[in-house]
Every structure is written in C-alpha cells, then in structure tokens.
Amino acid sequence: MTDRLRIALQKKGRLADDSFALLKKCGLRFAIRGGGLLARVKNMPIDLLLVRDDDIPSFVANDAADIGIVGENVLVEEQLTSQDELNANITMRLGFSRCKLSLAAADTGKVQSVTDLNGTRIATTYPGVLGQYLRDNNIKAKLVEMKGAVELAPSIGIAESICDLVSSGATLEANGLTAFKTILESEAVLIQSGRELSAAKAALLDKLMRRIDGVIKSAETKYIMLNAPKDKVKAITELLPGSDSPTIIPLAGSDDLVALQAVCTENIFWETLEDLKALGARAILVLPIEKMMS
Ligand code: ATP
Ligand code: MG
C-alpha cells in the first residue's frame, strides 16, 4: 500500500452524505464524481475508497483500507457472520446516522411481543445480530433471510414479524407494522484494524481524529452572551448547561448590570432562554461555534 491514508466510505446511501460532510468539515478537500472507486484528497495524503457499506468492515480487516466509516449495525453483523474473526473494531463513535435494529409486527397479527416469537418466522437482512439475540434469549424461531424490502414480508405471508432498521418509524407505519423490541442501537462509527500503521499514517490519523472530535464537539457547543443583574450571576451560571467559569465583564455606565459570556457544551433550548430571562438576563445571544480545539 502507498503511504496515503486510505479511508473506506459508503459511495451512495444514508451514510454517504454525512460521511463526506464530516470529512469536509475536518478540512479535507475532495470532489466525488460519477462512478470512480477512489477519490483523492487534494490537500492531504489521503484517498477515499468509495464502496457499498457492507464491504467496509472486510476492506478494513483485509488491509484494502486503513480506516472506514460504517454503521455500527453493519460492523456488528459482519463480526457475527464472518468466517474468521473480523479484524475491525470501533475507534470512535461519530454520532450521525442513528438508527435502531428492531423487531416489528402487524398490530393485528399473532406476534405482539418477544414472548410470541417462538415457533414463528422472522424476516431480516441481519441474520447475525438477530440469530445471536434469539440464542441469548432462548427463542426458537425461523429466520427468513432477505436482501431488502423486509417490511413487505408479513403482508406477503412469508413471515409473522420482521427485524429491520428503524429511524423515524414511518416506513413501518406505512406497512401497518409496529416495533415492539429494539435489539441493537446504532450510529456511524470510525473503524480500524489491529494492524500497526506506518508512523506517517499514524500521525495523520491522529490529526484527523482530533479534528473529528472538534467537529463533533463544536456541533453541540454554543457560545452564549447576555447581560445580567450582578446579584443574579450565580443563579444564571447554574442554568447554563455544561459551562464552568463564564467571563464576566463590566458594562459601561451601569453599576448593577454585567455582561456574561460562556461556552456551553450542550444545546441551549428555548426553555433555558425563558428561565434566564425570568432571572433578569437581557440581550441574550446564542452563537454557533465553528471550530474547537482544546
Ligand atoms: P449500500 O448500497 O451501500 O449497501 P444500503 O442500502 O445497505 O447501502 P443504506 O440504506 O444507505 O444502506 O443505509 C446505510 C446505513 O445508514 C445503515 O446501515 C444504517 O447504519 C444507517 N441508517 C440510518 N437510518 C436508517 C434507516 N432508517 N434505515 C436504514 N438505514 C439507516
Ligand atoms: Mg448495504
């Protein structure tokens, strides 16, 4: 392999756009065009390998890529179904593409909960994760393995329930199905094999991970500025989520008011702003933070 760090990413689909956006926010400059398998990052020694998400864990495990971004659900499924032990593990959670792998069935059918599953058929594209769940819970059911359109299985009569990915639940609802049990919660993750990287690649990966961390943190972090009565500063600070020591600045021409500025590590909701106002805070501004490095 070259000394360019190679990152396996989903080419197209629910993970792809957010993965590209994350890397762009980390300062990588690249363009994704048409059918190419490899995209070069212009300003860093990094190549992007653009593939189907199911292939990402094995590409990382087999050294076709140094790292990859994939749904945890796909990683766990590959770990459970691969012939040999899969050499790919989570290095970092990325917080996007959140979804659940859930069991669901028709409201009118005979399966309404986990205890009804014995002796029934369950359609899924996740035989590994589902098989493990059934074994762990001592449930004897038949797996009907499908490649897609799992939500149609009950209505065409090939299974009594399904085990599929759910985010909003709209697809289930449109097919008259209701989820009754979550067996795995998933988000996008950065994965890596146990192999050692060259010193140059390791340093680059380290830098990339620090930037990713900064991007994730800054997405949740806000800068708040407000004017407050001096005697309410303590109460107001206590209301600010995840801020330890705010900056207090005197206000010209005012003895009883000060300006308060703080970094809040959690989102600030309208309710908090209303509570701040009730304590006497005025001219409240909440600003996004573009980049962070600590
Ligand atoms: P590929 O063509 O790369 O194999 P795919 O059809 O298998 O793509 P997508 O539907 O693009 O996969 O989903 C990719 C990943 O996005 C999923 O494995 C999961 O981690 C995540 N995801 C988030 N929300 C959902 C959802 N509602 N349904 C399916 N996947 C979701
Ligand atoms: Mg796939």
Side-chain angles (χ1 to χ4, degrees):
M1 277 240 276
T2 63
D3 56 352
R4 294 175 71 82
L5 186 76
R6 191 177 279 185
I7 311 179
L9 300 171
Q10 189 192 31
K11 186 186 192 72
K12 208 169 134 234
R14 287 188 159 104
L15 273 173
D17 290 346
D18 287 346
S19 305
F20 299 147
L22 173 67
L23 295 179
K24 289 200 162 151
K25 282 188 201 146
C26 290
L28 280 66
R29 283 178 32 222
F30 56 90
I32 305 291
R33 282 197 203 90
L37 184 66
L38 218 54
R40 262 176 108 79
V41 173
K42 293 176 195 124
N43 57 337
M44 286 187 209
I46 298 177
D47 287 334
L48 308 179
L49 182 67
L50 305 168
V51 293
R52 291 203 49 179
D53 69 344
D54 318 65
D55 290 331
I56 294 174
S58 63
F59 282 179
V60 169
N62 298 316
D63 213 14
D66 298 303
I67 57 172
I69 294 180
V70 71
E72 196 176 353
N73 53 308
V74 172
L75 175 69
V76 175
E77 180 65 20
E78 296 295 313
Q79 283 170 333
L80 289 170
T81 51
S82 111
Q83 302 265 335
D84 314 310
E85 197 177 333
L86 189 81
N87 186 5
N89 292 296
I90 300 178
T91 355
M92 199 173 182
R93 303 189 156 270
L94 301 174
F96 61 86
S97 288
R98 284 181 195 278
C99 58
K100 296 171 181 174
L101 187 61
S102 299
L103 285 158
D107 309 332
T108 49
K110 69 176 195 183
V111 174
Q112 294 298 315
S113 69
V114 173
T115 49
D116 304 329
L117 289 171
N118 268 306
T120 65
R121 298 162 301 172
I122 313 172
T124 191
T125 50
Y126 290 86
V129 183
L130 178 58
Q132 170 96 46
Y133 174 79
L134 297 178
R135 279 192 299 282
D136 288 350
N137 291 279
N138 215 4
I139 298 164
K140 302 261 177 302
K142 185 169 182 293
L143 295 197
V144 179
E145 209 176 319
M146 294 176 72
K147 293 288 173 211
V150 171
E151 65 281 359
L152 301 179
S155 63
I156 56 176
I158 57 171
E160 284 69 43
S161 65
I162 68 168
C163 177
D164 201 11
L165 290 178
V166 184
S167 49
S168 69
T171 312
L172 288 184
E173 202 180 314
N175 286 281
L177 303 172
T178 307
F180 56 85
K181 176 77 193 172
T182 296
I183 67 170
L184 180 82
E185 299 213 15
S186 177
E187 65 187 278
V189 290
L190 189 74
I191 59 168
Q192 197 181 351
S193 77
R195 269 185 314 279
E196 206 172 321
L197 295 174
S198 70
K201 275 190 188 177
L204 184 57
L205 176 57
D206 207 50
K207 180 168 167 164
L208 180 63
M209 282 173 46
R210 249 179 288 151
R211 288 190 184 183
I212 292 176
D213 194 52
V215 170
I216 295 172
K217 283 209 185 105
S218 69
E220 291 159 5
T221 306
K222 299 283 179 266
Y223 198 79
I224 187 163
M225 299 166 62
L226 54 85
N227 292 344
K230 260 185 192 159
D231 58 341
K232 290 287 176 354
V233 165
K234 188 165 177 288
I236 284 177
T237 307
E238 278 164 10
L239 274 185
L240 298 175
S243 78
D244 11 272
S245 46
T247 306
I248 311 286
I249 311 164
L251 277 178
S254 168
D255 289 335
D256 48 350
L257 279 180
V258 291
L260 182 153
Q261 305 184 357
V263 172
C264 296
T265 55
E266 291 162 41
N267 235 327
I268 300 171
F269 296 103
W270 283 110
E271 288 74 10
T272 309
L273 296 188
E274 285 153 8
D275 293 346
L276 289 170
K277 192 158 183 283
L279 279 173
R282 293 291 178 270
I284 310 172
L285 294 179
V286 178
L287 311 174
I289 290 180
E290 165 127 340
K291 292 192 175 66
M292 273 180 79
M293 191 172 284
S294 45

